[in-house]
Amino acid sequence: MAIRFFLVLLVSTSICSLTFASDPSPLQDFCVAVDDAKASVFVNGKICKNPNMVSADDFYLSGLNKPGNTSNPLGSRVTPVNVNQIPGLNTLGISLVRIDYAPYGLNPPHTHPRATEILVVVEGTLYVGFVTSNPANPNQKNKLFTKTLHKGDVFVFPEGLVHFQFNTGKTNAVAFAGLSSQNPGVITIANAVFGSEPPISIDVLTKAFQVNKNVIKYLQGQFWINN
């Protein structure tokens, strides 16, 4: 049954990529990425491998059926499949992830600066949502859209908007998500704001969050993990 949902995801992602892809359209059949360590030139993407050296393995990855390790403070694990895992994704404007959630596990508020995301639940129950960008009217607030998803349900997170997923059940949950970029990027809000190196000025954060310095010092002192 999970395979059927996964196939639906791939079809949906293909449609999403054709419609909303933010990466440039390729001008050749493929441009298999060269390892960064072997590339001497920086481009918007990755350097192309010699087509005569390309093999089927450049378009292949195994092991996405294996659960991710959720034994961390968040109780979740994201397993990416982007151009860094499959070199053949270079210039194709598409990637995906597997997300595992322990009971009450959280994929915390974050954004993908270069991709729209479409997520399908294959096991468990997830509470998901995203927040709109700042409204034009200063008297209005950012709007929150949420939904409780069950097995087989699909939800879309628009490109660049802050979103999250939370396992509300007492059992493990699993979801797959397609993204409209070969390398969508991720900015975890708490990590970026309170865990940057060097840290953001306490004066900036106290004014931004309207709290005292002790709260900011406490938050900056936490161990922020990248999921």
Side-chain angles (χ1 to χ4, degrees):
M1 186 62 70
I3 296 298
R4 183 181 303 170
F5 291 132
F6 187 53
L7 291 175
V8 171
L9 167 70
L10 293 180
V11 173
S12 300
T13 303
S14 299
I15 296 172
C16 176
S17 178
L18 289 172
T19 308
F20 301 109
S22 57
D23 294 343
S25 298
L27 300 178
Q28 63 282 318
D29 287 346
F30 51 77
C31 172
V32 173
V34 173
D35 290 342
D36 288 337
K38 299 177 182 177
S40 58
V41 180
F42 180 81
V43 295
N44 187 22
K46 293 180 180 287
I47 303 297
C48 297
K49 186 177 184 179
N50 184 336
N52 295 326
M53 304 297 292
V54 171
S55 71
D57 286 339
D58 291 316
F59 304 91
Y60 170 79
L61 180 74
S62 65
L64 208 60
N65 60 313
K66 299 177 182 178
N69 184 359
T70 59
S71 58
N72 58 63
L74 295 173
S76 70
R77 176 65 63 189
V78 177
T79 304
V81 183
N82 56 45
V83 69
N84 296 313
Q85 286 76 42
I86 301 182
L89 283 174
N90 195 35
T91 75
L92 299 186
I94 195 170
S95 60
L96 63 88
V97 296
R98 171 182 173 137
I99 314 171
D100 290 274
Y101 312 82
Y104 308 110
L106 171 70
N107 190 13
H110 63 280
T111 72
H112 300 294
R114 295 180 289 275
T116 292
E117 176 180 345
I118 181 167
L119 178 138
V120 58
V121 178
V122 296
E123 294 292 343
T125 302
L126 295 176
Y127 171 70
V128 308
F130 69 86
V131 182
T132 61
S133 56
N134 294 351
N137 186 339
N139 296 319
Q140 293 179 331
K141 294 184 177 181
N142 304 64
K143 188 171 183 179
L144 172 65
F145 292 88
T146 63
K147 196 76 174 176
T148 298
L149 306 182
H150 304 280
K151 186 174 181 178
D153 290 345
V154 177
F155 198 80
V156 173
F157 305 106
E159 180 174 340
L161 298 187
V162 176
H163 59 282
F164 61 87
Q165 303 106 35
F166 178 64
N167 181 3
T168 58
K170 297 181 180 180
T171 61
N172 293 337
V174 181
F176 288 89
L179 299 113
S180 60
S181 171
Q182 69 180 43
N183 190 21
V186 60
I187 302 172
T188 305
I189 305 305
N191 298 38
V193 173
F194 300 111
S196 67
E197 182 61 43
I200 297 174
S201 165
I202 288 181
D203 292 332
V204 171
L205 296 181
T206 53
K207 198 171 188 70
F209 289 93
Q210 298 294 293
V211 296
N212 65 51
K213 292 185 178 181
N214 290 333
V215 174
I216 299 300
K217 288 179 180 178
Y218 171 80
L219 291 171
Q220 288 184 328
Q222 301 307 299
F223 178 70
W224 298 102
I225 66 168
N226 290 319
N227 195 13

